[in-house]
Amino acid sequence: MKKTHTLKTADADLVYDVHGPLPTADGRPPLFMIGQPMDATGFAALAARSAERTVVTYDPRGLGRSVRRDGRDDHTPETQADDVHALIQELGAGPVEMFASSGGAVTALAVVARYPGDVTVLVAHEPPLITLTPDGPVAVRARAAVREAYEKRGWGAGMAAFVAMTSWEGEFTDAYFDQPQADPAAFGMPTEDDGSRDDPLLSDRSWAISDHRPDADAITAAPTRVVIAVGEESEAVLTGRTSAATAELLGQPLTVFPSHHGGFLDGEFGYPGKPDEFARRLREVLDGAA
């Protein structure tokens, strides 16, 4: 059973979904699932496979169903952390457990640093903190080239460049930059330009997420058990390398999960992961069994 609610703050209407009863049936904290720029729709498969838990998902401000009124179009981990904190306070069911993926993992690390009493255990899956990698300045250059392709040629070209960047194995070398421009048609993406330039993934609107440097001292001092997770297929590519760098920053080993960056997805987004195996692994890690 899913119930949808809206939390109206001073500058945003945050839409969130509660899958299951509150208070929870088993007395265990709710399980928050958060992403960025992915909204709640991306967690449908994982939430369905976590039916024994009360799961909470939400759309970050300015994404999906959540409307922002702050006059901004950028996405920052600090603002999103404040929103997540407000949601936890609204539910009155904290501290919570949390699974956070991609930009949501960056937000979640900011939550732990800013609000250490909010989360008991955090599984931060592939946080894209590119400046933490050994080749951080070159990774920033690769990110800028994605935005340039998007600005010059539109969404298909930008997304093709993004796929090329995120599937490159190892550090970014001259060989990476010497490649021909990625062809959107080769990825089944549109070649025509629809004129829009507001995509949160391909524009610079989410650069504050990938530029973020977590407050390692605050995170390690918090009572939260933090697990940095990486997909077994991701370890050589950018988000695998950012995960390793984040784990190193926090002085802990990486925890390996099945599949890739979207390993908890089924086929509705085009590149299915292994959601059954992923859900089992998440359950093990949350329970402290692995």
Side-chain angles (χ1 to χ4, degrees):
M1 179 181 63
K2 180 179 80 172
K3 292 185 177 179
T4 299
H5 309 269
T6 301
L7 171 61
K8 293 183 177 293
T9 70
D11 52 13
D13 295 343
L14 303 173
V15 178
Y16 64 98
D17 304 304
V18 180
H19 307 251
L22 278 178
T24 62
D26 58 1
R28 190 168 178 176
L31 173 58
F32 258 68
M33 296 180 180
I34 67 173
Q36 200 283 328
M38 185 176 71
D39 60 26
T41 58
F43 294 105
L46 188 56
R49 289 165 173 80
S50 307
E52 76 282 2
R53 303 290 305 272
T54 294
V55 172
V56 180
T57 57
Y58 93 116
D59 293 351
R61 65 169 61 198
L63 300 171
R65 301 160 295 174
S66 291
V67 178
R68 66 190 309 170
R69 300 185 304 278
D70 56 3
R72 300 178 62 163
D73 60 14
D74 60 334
H75 304 281
T76 70
E78 294 81 7
T79 298
Q80 293 192 7
D82 292 345
D83 287 344
V84 172
H85 172 69
L87 287 170
I88 293 171
Q89 295 291 104
E90 174 72 9
L91 288 173
V96 303
E97 298 181 14
M98 187 171 288
F99 170 74
S101 187
S102 194
V106 180
T107 295
L109 291 169
V111 171
V112 172
R114 292 164 76 85
Y115 304 104
D118 275 5
V119 184
T120 59
V121 55
L122 163 64
V123 178
H125 180 250
E126 300 199 11
L129 296 165
I130 64 174
T131 63
L132 299 185
T133 61
D135 60 332
V138 190
V140 167
R141 178 186 167 198
R143 181 187 66 181
V146 171
R147 177 175 180 258
E148 181 179 10
Y150 177 53
E151 291 289 338
K152 287 184 175 180
R153 297 187 290 134
W155 185 87
M159 185 57 73
F162 179 79
V163 171
M165 179 184 75
T166 55
S167 59
W168 180 262
E169 295 191 355
E171 295 189 1
F172 294 105
T173 62
D174 289 343
Y176 172 79
F177 293 102
D178 289 343
Q179 297 178 108
Q181 290 183 327
D183 177 10
F187 296 98
M189 297 170 185
T191 56
E192 68 277 4
D193 183 355
D194 67 2
S196 65
R197 294 294 185 270
D198 57 357
D199 188 282
L201 186 66
L202 304 177
S203 67
D204 60 357
R205 296 184 178 188
S206 296
W207 281 11
I209 298 286
S210 49
D211 283 342
H212 182 67
R213 185 176 183 87
D215 186 338
D217 290 340
I219 292 168
T220 54
T224 308
R225 176 166 65 93
V226 176
V227 177
I228 305 299
V230 65
E232 61 188 353
E233 298 174 30
S234 300
E235 291 186 80
V237 299
L238 182 58
T239 53
R241 298 194 299 114
T242 60
S243 301
T246 306
E248 182 178 0
L249 178 70
L250 299 179
Q252 61 171 260
L254 271 175
T255 298
V256 179
F257 269 62
S259 198
H260 49 71
H261 189 65
F264 50 90
L265 302 172
D266 54 26
E268 77 272 44
F269 293 101
Y271 184 26
K274 299 178 180 177
D276 292 328
E277 294 93 329
F278 197 101
R280 284 196 294 270
R281 180 64 168 149
L282 178 60
R283 192 174 298 112
E284 293 171 352
V285 172
L286 289 171
D287 290 346

